Amino acid sequence: MKNTVSISQENYLKVIFKLQNEHGIASNQSIAEKLEATPAAVTGMLRKLASLEWVEHTAYQGAVLTAKGQRIAISTIRKHRLWEVFLVDKLKFKWDAVHQWAEELEHIGDADFTERLDAFLGCPATDPHGDPIPDANGDWTGNERVIGADKLSREQIFTVRGVSNSASDFLQHLDALNIHLGKRFEVLDHFPFDGSWEWSDENGESLRISREVAGQLLVELSKKEK
Amino acid sequence: MKNTVSISQENYLKVIFKLQNEHGIASNQSIAEKLEATPAAVTGMLRKLASLEWVEHTAYQGAVLTAKGQRIAISTIRKHRLWEVFLVDKLKFKWDAVHQWAEELEHIGDADFTERLDAFLGCPATDPHGDPIPDANGDWTGNERVIGADKLSREQIFTVRGVSNSASDFLQHLDALNIHLGKRFEVLDHFPFDGSWEWSDENGESLRISREVAGQLLVELSKKEK
DNA sequence: ATAATTTTTTAATCTCACCTAAACAATAAC
DNA sequence: GTTATTGTTTAGGTGAGATTAAAAAATTAT
């Protein structure tokens, strides 16, 4: 008997997964916000997910995924991120335009389908925003060398590896600044007054970065250049 | 105000489109069969589609698409067939395994998305079963030179161009016979007793084809070879 | 500790798309 | 031209997933 997951259920599991990774537990309200539903709707769905043994729900506390629920959530995230790679690499969408379509595509396909998609895309390690793609077993290669760009200090050389915010306006702003994944910079200066930065790119062009931008950029430190 | 189409509605429009092309009008019952629903469900949905002005529904008669409804139906068919090409060409699915996934994928993407997919696939003219893919304007290049393989006569040389039945068991049988789109044959003989045929392929290998197979194969006549 | 506020749950309804069973048309048979 | 058959519609109901509004529990403030 094949336990089938509805689209709505998959969305709940995905959101609970992300929330519990941030806060240990997913509160009713935080789930409701992310899904743009009412708390009452969340209570009802949590009841159902609990009966399916995909979450453990403690009344008035919140929800935590079971091992089964986590498997489903990770698989959905894997599909989402693979489709994002498809949309950017193959269909030439800009990176700020892929989320809405990936939200729909992530519900399509079984394990075989997903592995074919993965192979076709060349088994990418990250999606277009730098987020790691879980492998077929649900394991992550969480890149521990990646830190927030607001944690840098002068003269450090680093490579942009991801964003912690994939909202369109932020991504478009990065495009305007000509900042993209894989680009290397050096920290020239930091200004505590407003938290802004001065960086230089590989051509020696310098640019100013606001606190807001640095705070949502994920970077990897490089060895000093000779 | 964006008139949004539900998945269920798209499926109805697609089925009505195909039925009305065969019989001029789509009867309640024929729609119900194709969608594996009850006639009562069809009545209800036709009412809604009529109120949206996508079909014209005459009680006890049947349904016919309006121009708007036809546009939606053709767009859905276009997406379905493009996704089938993707699944076979890119994800390496066999041609008998793509329908179920395409049924889900066909509901995803807007006009821009579809044109990107089309471009990525190289603007294919037909899907993996030989069915023509409507262009972005909804126009078909209905291949009038294609006829049923049961209409052939002795010594004619022809190329397999499509199938009029995409059921898995039929497609797998064709694979077993090593018959695929684009392959050329010559009619050696026809046996009225059971309606079967003897053909030869380009290597001179002869093979026997049942009435059932010939009746569902679409072929294009070639000029006689010198 | 009690009051005020926030969060969660319950209760009652809504919409969508489906179902079954019965009533009603249209078609075909005699 | 009644009668039988087939096809369609109505009527009433179900289940999933949502809603609003009110009740209950938890948290925070005084």
Side-chain angles (χ1 to χ4, degrees):
Chain A
M1 110 203 170
K2 141 178 272 183
N3 235 350
T4 184
V5 194
S6 78
I7 289 176
S8 186
Q9 288 165 355
E10 263 188 11
N11 285 332
Y12 272 86
L13 294 175
K14 197 179 52 158
V15 161
I16 294 167
F17 179 81
K18 288 178 178 172
L19 287 170
Q20 99 179 36
N21 281 351
E22 283 175 46
H23 310 113
I25 194 166
S27 78
N28 194 310
Q29 184 160 249
S30 58
I31 298 169
E33 272 169 26
K34 291 250 185 195
L35 292 172
E36 297 185 351
T38 59
V42 175
T43 300
M45 182 57 98
L46 290 183
R47 207 177 278 303
K48 168 145 293 164
L49 294 176
S51 83
L52 290 163
E53 300 186 311
W54 292 333
V55 308
E56 276 171 38
H57 180 219
T58 317
Y60 292 99
Q61 295 296 121
V64 174
L65 296 181
T66 64
K68 280 192 227 166
Q70 194 148 329
R71 270 218 340 277
I72 299 170
I74 291 174
S75 151
T76 306
I77 291 169
R78 171 166 163 80
K79 289 192 281 181
H80 181 102
R81 294 184 178 169
L82 285 173
W83 279 116
E84 286 198 345
V85 172
F86 170 73
L87 295 170
V88 167
D89 285 6
K90 307 299 182 182
L91 299 198
K92 309 300 179 192
F93 275 98
K94 295 214 267 155
W95 70 342
D96 61 293
V98 297
H99 191 76
Q100 55 160 147
W101 298 125
E103 281 290 306
E104 299 184 36
L105 289 162
E106 71 187 3
H107 304 295
I108 291 182
D110 59 5
D112 170 58
F113 187 117
T114 307
E115 294 335 300
R116 286 173 187 271
L117 179 61
D118 184 47
F120 169 62
L121 297 172
C123 305
T126 64
D127 76 10
H129 312 108
D131 295 315
I133 299 175
D135 69 20
N137 302 317
D139 295 329
W140 309 68
T141 320
N143 198 334
E144 276 79 22
R145 294 170 307 172
V146 165
I147 61 171
D150 53 349
K151 307 288 187 302
L152 295 164
S153 35
R154 199 174 301 197
E155 290 185 12
Q156 282 188 311
I157 291 174
F158 61 92
T159 305
V160 177
R161 289 295 183 214
V163 291
S164 52
N165 167 8
S166 292
S168 272
D169 54 356
F170 177 53
L171 299 179
Q172 283 168 16
H173 185 56
L174 291 183
D175 286 342
L177 293 172
N178 198 25
I179 294 175
H180 51 79
L181 303 197
K183 194 163 175 181
R184 276 159 65 103
F185 294 93
E186 178 179 355
V187 180
L188 296 185
D189 216 341
H190 175 50
F191 307 99
F193 167 67
D194 60 358
S196 71
W197 300 78
E198 187 175 7
W199 297 349
S200 68
D201 69 14
E202 288 183 294
N203 302 320
E205 297 280 336
S206 87
L207 73 169
R208 293 189 172 278
I209 298 296
S210 69
R211 177 172 45 78
E212 288 81 359
V213 169
Q216 317 219 72
L217 266 186
L218 300 171
V219 303
E220 178 184 356
L221 291 178
S222 305
K223 306 265 176 282
K224 280 270 164 58
E225 277 184 349
K226 312 264 150 81
Chain B
M1 110 202 172
K2 143 175 273 184
N3 234 351
T4 184
V5 194
S6 77
I7 289 176
S8 187
Q9 290 166 355
E10 263 189 9
N11 285 331
Y12 272 84
L13 294 175
K14 197 179 53 159
V15 160
I16 295 167
F17 179 81
K18 289 179 177 168
L19 288 169
Q20 99 179 36
N21 282 350
E22 283 174 46
H23 310 112
I25 194 167
S27 78
N28 194 311
Q29 185 160 248
S30 58
I31 298 170
E33 272 169 25
K34 291 252 185 190
L35 292 173
E36 299 186 344
T38 59
V42 175
T43 300
M45 182 58 97
L46 291 183
R47 207 178 279 301
K48 167 145 294 166
L49 293 176
S51 82
L52 290 164
E53 300 186 311
W54 292 333
V55 308
E56 276 171 37
H57 180 220
T58 317
Y60 292 99
Q61 294 297 120
V64 175
L65 295 182
T66 64
K68 279 191 230 167
Q70 195 149 329
R71 270 216 340 275
I72 298 170
I74 291 174
S75 150
T76 307
I77 291 169
R78 171 167 164 77
K79 288 191 283 180
H80 181 102
R81 292 183 180 169
L82 285 173
W83 280 116
E84 286 198 345
V85 173
F86 170 73
L87 294 171
V88 168
D89 285 8
K90 307 299 183 184
L91 298 198
K92 309 301 178 193
F93 276 99
K94 296 215 268 158
W95 70 342
D96 62 290
V98 298
H99 191 75
Q100 54 160 147
W101 298 125
E103 282 290 307
E104 299 184 36
L105 289 163
E106 72 187 2
H107 305 295
I108 291 181
D110 60 5
D112 170 57
F113 187 116
T114 307
E115 295 336 299
R116 287 172 187 272
L117 179 61
D118 184 47
F120 169 62
L121 297 172
C123 304
T126 64
D127 76 11
H129 312 109
D131 295 316
I133 298 175
D135 69 20
N137 302 316
D139 296 330
W140 308 69
T141 321
N143 199 335
E144 277 78 21
R145 295 167 307 171
V146 165
I147 63 171
D150 53 349
K151 307 288 186 302
L152 295 164
S153 36
R154 198 174 304 195
E155 291 185 10
Q156 282 187 313
I157 291 173
F158 60 92
T159 306
V160 177
R161 289 295 184 213
V163 291
S164 52
N165 167 8
S166 292
S168 270
D169 54 356
F170 177 53
L171 298 179
Q172 283 168 16
H173 186 55
L174 292 183
D175 285 342
L177 293 170
N178 199 23
I179 294 176
H180 51 80
L181 302 198
K183 194 163 177 180
R184 275 160 67 102
F185 294 94
E186 178 178 356
V187 179
L188 296 184
D189 215 341
H190 175 51
F191 308 99
F193 167 67
D194 59 359
S196 71
W197 300 76
E198 187 175 8
W199 296 350
S200 68
D201 69 15
E202 289 185 292
N203 302 321
E205 298 282 337
S206 88
L207 72 168
R208 295 189 170 278
I209 298 296
S210 69
R211 176 173 45 77
E212 287 81 0
V213 168
Q216 317 219 72
L217 265 187
L218 300 170
V219 304
E220 178 184 357
L221 290 178
S222 305
K223 307 265 174 282
K224 281 267 162 59
E225 280 185 346
K226 309 268 152 74

